[in-house]
Amino acid sequence: MDKQTLVVSHFTVIEQSTSSSVIERSGFRRSLSAIDVVVYATILVVGFALLSFYIKTPDLTLDATYPELAKSLVKNGSYTFDFRTETMFPPGFPLMVAFIEKLFGTSQAVLFHVIAVCATLGLLVTYELLRRVESRTAAATICLLLATSQSFFSFVTEMPFAEMPYFLFSSAALLLAWKMAHSKGGANQYGRMLVLGFVLAFAVLIRSVGISLVMGLCLWTVTPIFKKRRLVRERLATFIIPVIFGLVAQIGWSTWAKPRQVIEWTLPGWPQSYTSQLLIKNGNDPELGYARLSDIPGRIATNATARAAEVSQLLTRRETGTQFWSSPLIIGVIVLIAIGLLGSLLKEGGEVLDWYFLCHEALFLLWPWETETRFVLPIVPLAWLYLWRGAKVIWKLAKSHTQQAGLGILVFGALLTVQLANVAMHTSEKRYQPILAGCFWALLSLVGSSMLLMRFVRTSAGASKWMDLLKEIPSRHRRLFKAIPVFALLGLVVYGFVLQVDTMRYNENPDLTQGPWYQDIEAAEWIRSHEPVDEVVMARKQDLVFHY
């Protein structure tokens, strides 16, 4: 083959690859692939299980705040809880539940069916978003892992919280924004603006952290201001109406809630507004007062460690057991997500979802309360997306700059190995965890050393023979190595399904006496039958005691 033919062939491959990428990322309809069918079918099967196997208890046993707010809207037409106007939780989710209960009646089944439908639709919308911004393979991997997670299943079928409706509306907002950003306008552009505006506004009214959607959209809009002012004007013309909708929803809710707020004690924090709570030192210990600037770095480090642990637990289906930051499931996850997010932002200013993720995580890194799984579930698909992208960046660097990447991996692994050896020496319980983590980083250091010495391997006559032997490995073995990630994914999916079946069995016949708030419920029922209705009760679990 002559040089001219090689050049033509090379550019043909580039053109085909570019065209394929454009088609993959375009919003145009295309025929379903086998991957799409598998993902849709799996999500729908999980959705059917979510609808069928919610916890079968006579009444609420874990939380009653949102159901009580919905009941107040239905019966009294007021937004009150425990004889006072609710001013902290925005009314989006109670309004949704109240509307559906008006149609189908008030029951625990209706409540959990609403949450299950939102979770299922949220997974479908997330898949549509991720396959456009990344690839079908990444989208399928992420959505299948989340759909078959036991933590996800347990939360949806047992906890009557607003996270799943927010998951649906935030994902829908990102998908609509991406489509509008990559379309050429048209007659239905104003209709899309209004729809996106409604979705943004309702996301803000479901959970206050929805303001990060508006913040991310604003930051993404003005990012190219120093290089492409024309692009900024185009984005402003497209997204100014949705942004106004979101801001009006937030300002309207805050304006309505502030004058109705009742301060029951002089301590700062809960149940005052979320903005007020951000200013305190520790939400669980409000008597410590307001935070200082010197408290912020420690808070960020603690929250980053805890959120990375939740992300890892959802991925591996196992509790991390500890949260020492040098674990591969902590620092490894943080570094890969940071690399993936940074790479996304540096690529032509990023997309709307990149800025949303940055704003969302910035708010939660400053959050003064302990991290819970429910705070991670709505954002975990994007966290896994940047984890995926970060791994791709490291892999490309290892291939293109082998020695430099090897040096970085060697230094990084060696430092963490030493740190974990120190942790193991000062840990009395579960010492095997830092030891295993140290072995991982030591092994990674050896990999870095091998990469660093790759030039010697290539020039050494003896080593070149080994390289030739490696090249002679039959193609079927190479295909087997490529299939390992597929088998790993299938293993995690099947294992997740098995764990979900355990949750289904428990939900069908739950043991109420083993619930964390059984004694509080029992006491509340006794008070209801033995004390006057106008008595004042001090309760640890306020919502359930009021409910009963």
Side-chain angles (χ1 to χ4, degrees):
M1 185 179 294
D2 59 11
K3 183 176 181 180
Q4 183 177 3
T5 305
L6 279 172
V7 172
V8 172
S9 175
H10 176 70
F11 279 99
T12 301
V13 170
I14 292 179
E15 182 179 359
Q16 291 175 349
S17 176
T18 304
S19 301
S20 175
S21 176
V22 170
I23 292 172
E24 176 67 22
R25 295 170 179 267
S26 69
F28 297 110
R29 292 183 178 181
R30 53 193 180 278
S31 58
L32 292 176
S33 69
I35 294 179
D36 296 333
V37 173
V38 170
V39 174
Y40 295 151
T42 303
I43 292 176
L44 291 176
V45 168
V46 171
F48 178 78
L50 293 173
L51 286 170
S52 305
F53 295 99
Y54 62 90
I55 189 165
K56 304 300 194 304
T57 54
D59 205 340
L60 298 166
T61 58
L62 294 175
D63 199 275
T65 305
Y66 285 110
E68 280 294 331
L69 289 170
K71 183 195 298 185
S72 174
L73 289 170
V74 172
K75 291 188 175 182
N76 307 321
S78 61
Y79 194 55
T80 58
F81 172 72
D82 196 6
F83 308 105
R84 62 180 176 81
T85 302
E86 177 58 46
T87 58
M88 188 176 69
F89 296 114
F93 181 46
L95 280 171
M96 180 190 301
V97 174
F99 174 75
I100 295 175
E101 287 184 345
K102 278 280 190 180
L103 299 176
F104 300 101
T106 302
S107 69
Q108 188 163 304
V110 171
L111 174 66
F112 280 108
H113 284 167
V114 172
I115 298 173
V117 169
C118 289
T120 305
L121 293 177
L123 286 169
L124 293 171
V125 173
T126 299
Y127 176 70
E128 289 298 320
L129 172 66
L130 295 182
R131 75 169 184 170
R132 285 168 169 79
V133 301
E134 185 62 23
S135 65
R136 275 189 171 94
T137 302
T141 301
I142 291 169
C143 290
L144 289 177
L145 286 173
L146 181 58
T148 56
S149 165
Q150 184 187 33
S151 296
F152 174 80
F153 192 92
S154 298
F155 181 82
V156 174
T157 56
E158 297 174 7
M159 303 297 292
F161 285 136
E163 272 68 24
M164 288 302 103
Y166 177 73
F167 174 48
L168 169 60
F169 277 85
S170 60
S171 300
L174 294 175
L175 179 59
L176 286 169
W178 187 91
K179 284 188 172 183
M180 290 172 64
H182 291 267
S183 66
K184 296 181 179 179
N188 61 345
Q189 188 74 348
Y190 289 105
R192 290 181 178 180
M193 291 180 187
L194 294 176
V195 172
L196 178 58
F198 167 78
V199 173
L200 269 178
F202 208 70
V204 170
L205 291 177
I206 291 175
R207 287 193 63 209
S208 295
V209 75
I211 194 63
S212 58
L213 281 166
V214 181
M215 294 165 57
L217 188 55
C218 291
L219 289 173
W220 172 77
T221 299
V222 301
T223 297
I225 193 168
F226 296 109
K227 294 183 178 180
K228 300 178 181 179
R229 295 188 178 182
R230 181 181 177 183
L231 180 59
V232 173
R233 290 194 294 269
E234 291 176 356
R235 290 180 178 179
L236 281 172
T238 303
F239 294 105
I240 187 65
I241 292 178
V243 166
I244 290 175
F245 272 60
L247 290 176
V248 167
Q250 179 60 51
I251 295 171
W253 161 244
S254 300
T255 303
W256 182 89
K258 188 173 183 180
R260 294 170 173 81
Q261 190 176 60
V262 177
I263 306 300
E264 298 182 1
W265 48 73
T266 58
L267 289 175
W270 189 90
Q272 298 182 39
S273 67
Y274 288 119
T275 304
S276 301
Q277 293 180 49
L278 283 173
L279 301 177
I280 64 175
K281 188 180 183 71
N282 189 307
N284 298 94
D285 299 301
E287 69 276 6
L288 298 177
Y290 290 98
R292 300 178 179 179
L293 289 177
S294 57
D295 297 323
I296 303 303
R299 180 189 295 183
I300 292 175
T302 300
N303 287 337
T305 300
R307 291 181 71 78
E310 292 288 348
V311 169
S312 298
Q313 179 179 332
L314 287 166
L315 181 63
T316 62
R317 278 85 164 111
R318 294 182 63 85
E319 292 187 9
T320 55
T322 185
Q323 292 187 1
F324 53 90
W325 66 268
S326 48
S327 166
L329 297 177
I330 305 296
I331 188 64
V333 167
I334 292 174
V335 169
L336 287 178
I337 290 177
I339 292 173
L341 178 60
L342 182 61
S344 302
L345 292 172
L346 293 177
K347 187 177 180 180
E348 299 181 356
E351 298 280 359
V352 177
L353 71 160
D354 304 325
W355 289 100
Y356 161 63
F357 182 82
L358 181 65
C359 293
H360 185 281
E361 291 307 288
L363 290 176
F364 271 103
L365 289 177
L366 296 172
W367 188 235
W369 295 81
E370 294 179 359
T371 296
E372 300 177 27
T373 303
R374 66 189 184 95
F375 296 146
V376 178
L377 281 173
I379 201 72
V380 75
L382 295 185
W384 287 347
L385 170 66
Y386 299 117
L387 191 69
W388 177 285
R389 289 180 175 178
K392 285 174 60 178
V393 170
I394 296 297
W395 179 253
K396 289 180 180 178
L397 284 175
K399 291 174 65 177
S400 60
H401 300 81
T402 305
Q403 287 184 299
Q404 293 87 339
L407 178 60
I409 292 173
L410 173 60
V411 173
F412 190 71
L415 290 175
L416 289 173
T417 302
V418 173
Q419 201 278 335
L420 282 164
N422 183 56
V423 171
M425 290 176 60
H426 295 86
T427 300
S428 57
E429 297 181 1
K430 296 184 177 180
R431 183 175 295 183
Y432 67 91
Q433 291 184 348
I435 291 176
L436 289 176
C439 291
F440 173 85
W441 292 122
L443 180 61
L444 195 66
S445 300
L446 292 176
V447 173
S449 302
S450 302
M451 294 169 62
L452 188 60
L453 298 175
M454 190 61 69
R455 178 178 296 179
F456 168 77
V457 171
R458 289 174 177 172
T459 56
S460 172
S464 63
K465 293 181 180 180
W466 287 101
M467 296 294 291
D468 292 337
L469 288 175
L470 291 175
K471 292 179 181 178
E472 293 176 1
I473 296 177
S475 59
R476 62 177 179 274
H477 293 299
R478 288 201 295 269
R479 286 196 296 269
L480 179 61
F481 291 143
K482 291 180 180 179
I484 290 177
V486 178
F487 287 117
L489 173 62
L490 290 175
L492 287 172
V493 168
V494 172
Y495 182 53
F497 267 130
V498 172
L499 295 177
Q500 286 184 348
V501 170
D502 291 338
T503 302
M504 294 177 198
R505 290 172 178 167
Y506 173 79
N507 286 347
E508 285 297 292
N509 188 25
D511 184 1
L512 300 183
T513 62
Q514 298 302 313
W517 306 114
Y518 174 73
Q519 293 180 341
D520 298 71
I521 294 172
E522 195 176 31
E525 290 179 325
W526 186 93
I527 291 172
R528 182 177 61 190
S529 59
H530 290 79
E531 296 292 334
V533 295
D534 58 350
E535 287 289 309
V536 176
V537 180
M538 183 172 67
R540 176 179 58 168
K541 184 61 173 167
Q542 179 187 7
D543 56 295
L544 283 178
V545 171
F546 172 73
H547 177 76
Y548 280 92

